[in-house]
Amino acid sequence: MGDMGLVVVGAGGRMGQTLIRVIHEMDGVQLAGAVERPGSPSLGRDAGEVAGVGTLGVAVTDDPLAAFAKADGVLDFTTPAASVEFAGYAAQARIVHIIGTTGLSSDDEAKIAAAARHATIVKSGNMSLGVNLLATLVKQAAKALAAADFDIEIMEMHHRHKVDAPSGTALLLGQAAAEGRGIGLAESSVRVRDGHTGPRQTGTIGFATLRGGSVVGDHSVILAGTGERITLSHHAEDRSIFARGAVKAALWARDKKPGLYSMLDVLGLA
Ligand SMILES: NC(=O)C1=CN([C@@H]2O[C@H](COP(=O)(O)OP(=O)(O)OC[C@H]3O[C@@H](n4cnc5c(N)ncnc54)[C@H](OP(=O)(O)O)[C@@H]3O)[C@@H](O)[C@H]2O)C=CC1
Ligand SMILES: O=C(O)C1=N[C@H](C(=O)O)C[C@H](O)C1
C-alpha cells in the first residue's frame, strides 16, 4: 500500500497548521488536500506556506467534496457544524474521517453516528496517548474507590481562544470515571457551581473550567477522600501530540470496516 493521502480541514487553524506540519514529517502519509471555510484568508495559498513548512504544492480550497474525492482520509479539527457536514461528505466519498472537534451537541453526535454506517470514523475529545492512558487509570481508580468515600472532581485549563466548556477531554475523563462507578455521566455531573450551592451531593462528578493565556491543555482528575487526595493529571505541552495521534488513527482506520471508533480502539486500550 502506498502513502495514505490525507486532507486537512480547517487548514488555517491552530490544529490544522499543526496537522500539516506533522503530516510533512511523518512516514506513510502525504498531504492530499487542505480545506478552509469560504471567505477564509488562507484560500488559494499553499498549505505548506500557511503552516510554515515551505511550499508543498497543495493549495487551500473551499471545495471539500473535490478534495475528499482524491484522498484516503480526512483529519478534522474544526467546529461542530463543519464536522457534521464533513461526516456526510466523507461517507459519500467512502474515506476515513478522523474527528477531533469538541463541543458537539447530542444531535451532532447522532448525525455523526449515522454517517459511520458508511464511513470509518475515529472520534475522540483527545487524540493523545497520554490522555487516553489517563482515562483507563481514572476508570480503575473510580471503580476501586467507593463514591461514599471519595468525591471525583475534574479540573481543566485551556488557552483564552477556546470556545467550548467543559473541554472534550474533561468530558472523556468524566465518562471514564462514570463507567468506573457504573453510573451515567449525564445524570451525575455537576458542570457549574455558583452562589449558595449547599453541600456536595455524594456520587456526583464535578467539573471546573479555567481559561487563559496560551495553555495547550491541562487536565486533573481529583479523587478527594477524608484526610487524603489522589490527583491524576495530564499536561499537554505541544499540539503535535494530538496531530500525531490523529495521523496514527487514520493509518489504523485505513483497513477497518465502517463504524464509529475511539482512540481507545486505536491504541488498544478499549
Ligand atoms: N481531540 C483533540 O485531540 C483536540 C481537539 N481540539 C478541538 O479541535 C477544534 C479546533 O481547535 P483549534 O484548531 O484550536 O481551533 P481553530 O479555531 O484554530 O481552528 C478551526 C479551524 O476550522 C476552520 N473552519 C471553521 N468552519 C469551517 C468549515 N466549514 N470548513 C473549513 N474550515 C472551517 C476555522 O476557520 P475560521 O477561523 O476562519 O472560522 C479555523 O481555521 C476545537 O473543537 C478543539 O476543541 C483541539 C486540539 C486537540
Ligand atoms: O481546544 C483545544 O485547544 C483543545 N481541545 C480539546 C478538548 O476540548 O479537550 C483537546 C485539548 O485539550 C486541546
Side-chain angles (χ1 to χ4, degrees):
M1 231 187 300
D3 280 359
M4 185 173 190
L6 297 174
V7 174
V8 173
V9 290
R14 281 174 288 275
M15 277 305 298
Q17 292 184 40
T18 311
L19 286 160
I20 292 166
R21 288 194 287 273
V22 162
I23 291 169
H24 182 57
E25 286 161 13
M26 280 178 72
D27 291 333
V29 286
Q30 61 177 15
L31 187 68
V35 175
E36 256 299 339
R37 62 166 179 80
S40 164
S42 305
L43 293 180
R45 291 185 62 202
D46 188 278
E49 301 286 347
V50 170
V53 289
T55 307
L56 295 176
V58 176
V60 179
T61 172
D62 61 1
D63 185 350
L65 271 175
F68 290 12
K70 291 181 283 185
D72 304 303
V74 52
L75 307 183
D76 176 358
F77 292 69
T78 55
T79 64
S83 290
V84 167
E85 187 184 338
F86 294 141
Y89 297 156
Q92 249 176 279
R94 298 284 194 271
I95 61 171
V96 165
H97 188 190
I98 309 301
I99 305 178
T101 307
T102 58
L104 283 84
S105 66
S106 46
D107 188 44
D108 297 332
E109 301 273 6
K111 286 177 180 153
I112 286 170
R117 289 203 289 267
H118 308 287
T120 306
I121 299 179
V122 180
K123 187 171 86 58
S124 175
N126 197 303
M127 300 277 172
S128 75
L129 171 61
V131 158
N132 284 281
L133 179 63
L134 179 67
T136 68
L137 300 176
V138 166
K139 186 172 172 179
Q140 275 180 30
K143 188 174 181 182
L145 303 171
D149 301 326
F150 282 85
D151 302 320
I152 301 180
E153 293 283 311
I154 301 175
M155 194 165 70
E156 56 110 332
M157 181 159 187
H158 283 86
H159 53 93
R160 61 168 71 97
H161 304 289
K162 186 161 178 63
V163 294
D164 56 308
S167 69
T169 309
L171 293 171
L172 175 163
L173 294 170
Q175 181 60 33
E179 282 171 21
R181 287 262 160 101
I183 56 175
L185 182 62
E187 308 87 79
S188 48
S189 61
V190 176
R191 290 168 65 144
V192 182
R193 290 192 184 100
D194 187 29
H196 185 86
T197 60
R200 191 181 197 285
Q201 206 183 319
T202 302
T204 52
I205 297 175
F207 290 85
T209 299
L210 286 76
R211 294 284 176 267
S214 59
V215 178
V216 175
D218 287 351
H219 293 89
S220 292
V221 178
I222 302 158
L223 295 110
T226 304
E228 60 181 331
R229 200 160 67 241
I230 298 161
T231 304
L232 300 168
S233 296
H234 181 268
H235 302 282
E237 293 171 0
D238 192 296
R239 288 187 176 83
S240 61
I241 60 170
F242 312 126
R244 284 198 302 272
V247 171
K248 190 172 182 159
L251 289 166
W252 176 89
R254 199 175 185 182
D255 61 359
K256 298 292 177 296
K257 288 191 194 129
L260 185 55
Y261 301 91
S262 76
M263 276 310 278
L264 293 174
D265 297 311
V266 174
L267 297 169
L269 295 169

